[in-house]
């Protein structure tokens, strides 16, 4: 039986993963711990095989007053937890990074491949990238460090842009018809991927995503249909969106192109257990 400690009590990914592994209760034992105070430093890590580190500041901020906190939590705390894990004999440390580490380097190409160099454009992305850099020297034959850079994660009770799009799909009679492509990752696909990473005791850098790229307009249409609505897609707003998308980050996140090259996301075992249509139905119902 694998013993797993999840850092980050009530985190969306951590809670979802714990619920997912409940389907395999005879194979895994799971605890979770908060890192909000220093009490975690007295926790005995030696009884765990795996630390799944999902604690951190996840939202993007441009407030200069937040910069120090981002580095303290996302970089320094991550490295400190990993060092404690290694010192106490934990065999695997899994760090949840983000596609956001690519920042402006991704925007210039719209497709991320193995040669794309991360160029973070905000505190969040840079703090995640620096955490990765701090973890690399800790990796060894007896302490496997796996780092995951997921794209936008969605699923039931998820946060971020997906709930906003779902709300629009339920309420709006029309929606822009934009021919874009986004890499996305349903929470069940992520959960299965993490499970396999643990089962196979992996180390290295990983880029999981759904099997299909997501078209925002198509996704909104699917959400509407789950709720018994037929939303009309129109090209009327496209010229305006193209202009303001260059200046408004949210518009670019929703309607711009940003994908991982598909070969980057291949794994030796199948983890993409939900296709887009099924994932939308599961999320909305």
């Amino acid at each position: 039986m694998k013993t797993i400690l999840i850092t980050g009590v009530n985190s969306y990914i951590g809670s979802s993963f714990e619920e997912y592994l409940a389907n395999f209760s005879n194979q895994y034992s799971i605890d979770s711990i908060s890192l909000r105070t220093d009490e975690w430093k007295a926790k005995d890590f030696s009884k765990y095989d795996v630390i799944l580190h999902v604690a951190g500041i996840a939202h993007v901020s441009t407030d200069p007053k937040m910069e120090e906190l981002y580095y303290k939590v996302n970089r320094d705390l991550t490295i400190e937890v990993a060092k404690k894990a290694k010192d106490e004999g934990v065999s695997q440390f899994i760090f949840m990074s983000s596609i956001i580490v690519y920042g402006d380097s991704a925007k210039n190409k719209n497709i991320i491949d193995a040669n794309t160099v991360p160029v973070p454009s905000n505190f969040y992305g840079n703090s995640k990238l620096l955490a990765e850099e701090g973890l690399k020297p800790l990796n060894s034959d007896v302490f496997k460090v796996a780092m995951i850079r997921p794209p936008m994660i969605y699923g039931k009770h998820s946060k971020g842009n997906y709930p906003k799009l779902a709300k629009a799909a339920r309420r709006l009679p029309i929606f822009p018809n934009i021919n874009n492509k986004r890499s996305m990752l349903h929470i069940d696909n992520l959960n299965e991927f993490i499970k396999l990473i643990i089962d196979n005791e992996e180390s290295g850098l990983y880029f999981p995503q759904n099997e299909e790229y997501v078209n925002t307009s198509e996704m909104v249409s699917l959400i509407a249909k789950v709720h018994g609505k037929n939303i009309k897609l129109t090209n009327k707003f496209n010229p305006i969106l193209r202009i303001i998308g260059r200046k408004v980050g949210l518009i670019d996140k929703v309607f711009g192109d940003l994908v991982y090259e598909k070969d980057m996301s291949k794994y030796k075992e199948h983890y993409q257990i939900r296709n887009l249509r099924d994932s939308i139905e599961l999320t909305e119902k």
Side-chain angles (χ1 to χ4, degrees):
M1 176 178 285
K2 290 277 189 179
T3 54
I4 303 167
L5 178 65
I6 299 173
T7 67
V9 175
N10 298 324
S11 73
Y12 177 63
I13 294 174
S15 299
S16 298
F17 185 63
E18 185 171 2
E19 183 178 338
Y20 186 76
L21 287 195
N23 298 310
F24 313 90
S25 57
N26 62 330
Q27 299 177 44
Y28 309 94
S29 173
I30 302 178
D31 290 334
S32 59
I33 188 172
S34 172
L35 304 184
R36 290 183 179 273
T37 69
D38 286 340
E39 291 181 12
W40 66 271
K41 294 180 180 180
K43 177 80 171 176
D44 180 11
F45 281 11
S46 66
K47 60 183 178 181
Y48 298 104
D49 300 306
V50 181
I51 304 292
L52 174 59
H53 184 67
V54 295
I57 304 175
H59 63 277
V60 175
S61 173
T62 56
D63 183 354
K65 296 177 182 178
M66 291 287 291
E67 182 174 8
E68 183 179 353
L69 184 61
Y70 270 90
Y71 293 122
K72 181 179 179 180
V73 174
N74 289 353
R75 178 194 61 191
D76 300 343
L77 187 60
T78 297
I79 297 168
E80 190 176 359
V81 172
K83 286 180 177 178
K84 175 178 168 66
K86 185 173 184 177
D87 289 344
E88 297 186 13
V90 176
S91 58
Q92 186 182 39
F93 186 86
I94 302 174
F95 173 56
M96 195 60 54
S97 187
S98 172
I99 194 173
I100 202 168
V101 300
Y102 289 99
D104 292 335
S105 59
K107 289 180 180 179
N108 292 335
K109 295 177 65 177
N110 296 328
I111 181 166
I112 298 167
D113 60 30
N115 298 315
T116 304
V117 177
V119 182
S121 56
N122 52 52
F123 307 145
Y124 175 38
N126 198 39
S127 64
K128 286 288 189 180
L129 184 62
L130 291 176
E132 290 182 15
E133 294 300 318
L135 291 174
K136 287 177 183 178
L138 300 178
N139 185 65
S140 70
D141 291 340
V142 295
F143 186 69
K144 305 291 182 66
V145 177
M147 298 177 288
I148 302 174
R149 290 179 184 169
M152 176 178 149
I153 298 166
Y154 68 102
K156 186 172 287 294
H157 308 307
S158 63
K159 301 176 182 179
N161 289 328
Y162 179 88
K164 297 174 185 176
L165 289 171
K167 184 177 180 180
R170 293 192 301 269
R171 296 187 176 185
L172 297 178
I174 60 174
F175 192 82
N177 185 22
I178 301 290
N179 185 27
N180 72 327
K181 291 189 296 185
R182 307 287 298 189
S183 285
M184 291 179 62
L185 183 62
H186 184 257
I187 189 63
D188 282 355
N189 291 339
L190 175 60
N191 288 333
E192 178 64 13
F193 184 78
I194 296 173
K195 175 181 172 294
L196 292 173
I197 291 294
I198 291 173
D199 291 345
N200 296 324
E201 300 178 357
E202 301 281 16
S203 63
L205 187 58
Y206 297 92
F207 315 87
Q209 65 177 323
N210 287 352
E211 190 170 5
E212 316 112 299
Y213 292 145
V214 176
N215 173 275
T216 303
S217 302
E218 176 190 359
M219 185 178 71
V220 167
S221 181
L222 285 172
I223 294 170
K225 287 178 181 177
V226 170
H227 293 281
K229 289 185 57 181
N230 283 316
I231 195 167
K232 181 180 178 182
L233 300 179
T234 176
N235 297 321
K236 185 184 299 183
F237 306 111
N238 291 18
I240 299 173
L241 289 173
R242 289 192 190 98
I243 294 171
I244 64 175
R246 301 188 189 103
K247 299 180 180 180
V248 181
L250 179 60
I251 298 297
D252 186 60
K253 285 182 181 179
V254 172
F255 295 109
D257 292 324
L258 182 60
V259 299
Y260 279 131
E261 194 273 323
K262 289 193 175 182
D263 282 346
M264 291 178 68
S265 302
K266 290 181 179 178
Y267 187 63
K268 58 190 175 187
E269 294 186 56
H270 180 65
Y271 69 89
Q272 296 157 325
I273 58 175
R274 309 293 185 203
N275 62 34
L276 179 61
R277 183 177 295 276
D278 291 344
S279 72
I280 296 299
E281 290 180 356
L282 284 168
T283 301
E284 294 303 310
K285 288 185 176 179

